[in-house]
Amino acid sequence: MFHRLVVAAALVALAAVSAPATARSAGDYAADLKDYVVAPLHWDGHEWRWAGGAALSVAAAYSLDNSVRDHFAAGGVPAGEDPHSARDAAPLALLTVGSFAIGVLRHDKRLTNTGLDMGEAVVLGTLSSFAFKKLAGRERPNETSSRGSFGSGGDGFPSGHTTAAFAAAQVFADRMPRDQWGWSALAYGLAGATAYARLDSNVHWVSDTVAGAALGIATGRFVSGRGGPGHSRVQFWVAPLHHGALLTFAIDPY
């Protein structure tokens, strides 16, 4: 967790140094953090309905935790180990760094700012997921066979990898041109693959990943909304399968 936060923070700092024409001050980022923390106090009806739908999705996923764990447990890792942490974080990290780097090389202010904002979304999402982990204290499926192991000092809920991945993906999707919906599909696809990888390693319950996806999308929308509302829309839900669950996404770029 800590090393991902350091990498994300370093990305934002590097961007500020490398692209002074588009950089924001430390005070701007501090103000964003404050606004992010109190954002729920200013939600409107639409945002509360979205939050309610996300909560229902997490509840539905919770009912499938045991069956999904049983499906993936054979390929799991011993308790206390997470050997694929860096691998699972790599796809969206590369998309974030790549967006910024290509923007700088091509003198494309829009793409450079997209990379900057993706980095900020990763930092905010990682911080918020860390806070929720501390509050929930849920053990991971490779640590316990009980899906209800909240308040046990664990760090499973929500999935930090999934939160960061969907936060970056949401910003990227919001900033891409409306008629180039394939880029949005790519970003959400990479984020979905991150969630699947966490399940495949048996280091998260499926409800951990659904909660992470919801938190990440909300974080990405917050960052995108600083400069006006984003235009992309994504909905997700969980459907049970015989030996697991299907996490489905619907993207409306218009």
Side-chain angles (χ1 to χ4, degrees):
M1 172 64 69
F2 180 74
H3 76 274
R4 295 200 303 274
L5 176 59
V6 171
V7 170
L11 171 63
V12 175
L14 174 63
V17 172
S18 303
T22 60
R24 304 174 71 237
S25 70
D28 291 332
Y29 287 116
D32 285 350
L33 176 59
K34 177 182 176 181
D35 291 343
Y36 177 72
V37 171
V38 302
L41 300 177
H42 305 290
W43 283 355
D44 58 21
H46 171 75
E47 289 165 324
W48 278 112
R49 287 191 296 273
W50 190 94
L56 289 174
S57 295
V58 174
Y62 180 79
S63 70
L64 298 168
D65 276 339
N66 286 333
S67 59
V68 173
R69 178 190 183 276
D70 291 343
H71 176 72
F72 288 110
V77 297
E81 295 186 15
D82 188 2
H84 304 305
S85 178
R87 179 203 68 181
D88 296 344
L92 265 299
L94 290 174
L95 183 63
T96 301
V97 174
S99 297
F100 171 74
I102 293 173
V104 170
L105 292 174
R106 297 177 57 182
H107 304 288
D108 184 334
K109 183 178 179 179
R110 180 189 63 82
L111 191 56
T112 301
N113 284 337
T114 295
L116 271 168
D117 288 343
M118 291 170 72
E120 182 183 9
V122 168
V123 172
L124 292 177
T126 300
L127 287 172
S128 59
S129 68
F130 181 77
F132 279 111
K133 284 175 183 289
K134 289 297 184 182
L135 289 172
R138 189 188 198 186
E139 291 185 322
R140 297 169 183 253
N142 64 336
E143 297 171 329
T144 179
S145 59
S146 173
R147 66 179 180 177
S149 58
F150 291 91
S152 301
D155 64 348
F157 183 90
S159 165
H161 281 74
T162 307
T163 300
F166 274 92
Q170 182 66 37
V171 172
F172 185 82
D174 283 341
R175 297 296 167 79
M176 290 298 103
R178 295 188 180 189
D179 59 343
Q180 296 181 18
W181 59 267
W183 289 111
S184 298
L186 170 65
Y188 289 128
L190 290 175
T194 299
Y196 179 87
R198 305 308 285 164
L199 296 175
D200 188 50
S201 295
N202 194 38
V203 293
H204 278 293
W205 303 94
V206 67
S207 56
D208 295 340
T209 62
V210 174
L215 181 59
I217 291 170
T219 301
R221 291 172 65 176
F222 168 83
V223 173
S224 294
R226 277 200 333 256
H231 59 258
S232 70
R233 296 292 182 267
V234 59
Q235 296 178 332
F236 64 95
W237 58 92
V238 181
L241 298 178
H242 181 58
H243 291 295
L246 175 67
L247 181 61
T248 306
F249 294 88
I251 302 171
D252 177 11
Y254 302 105

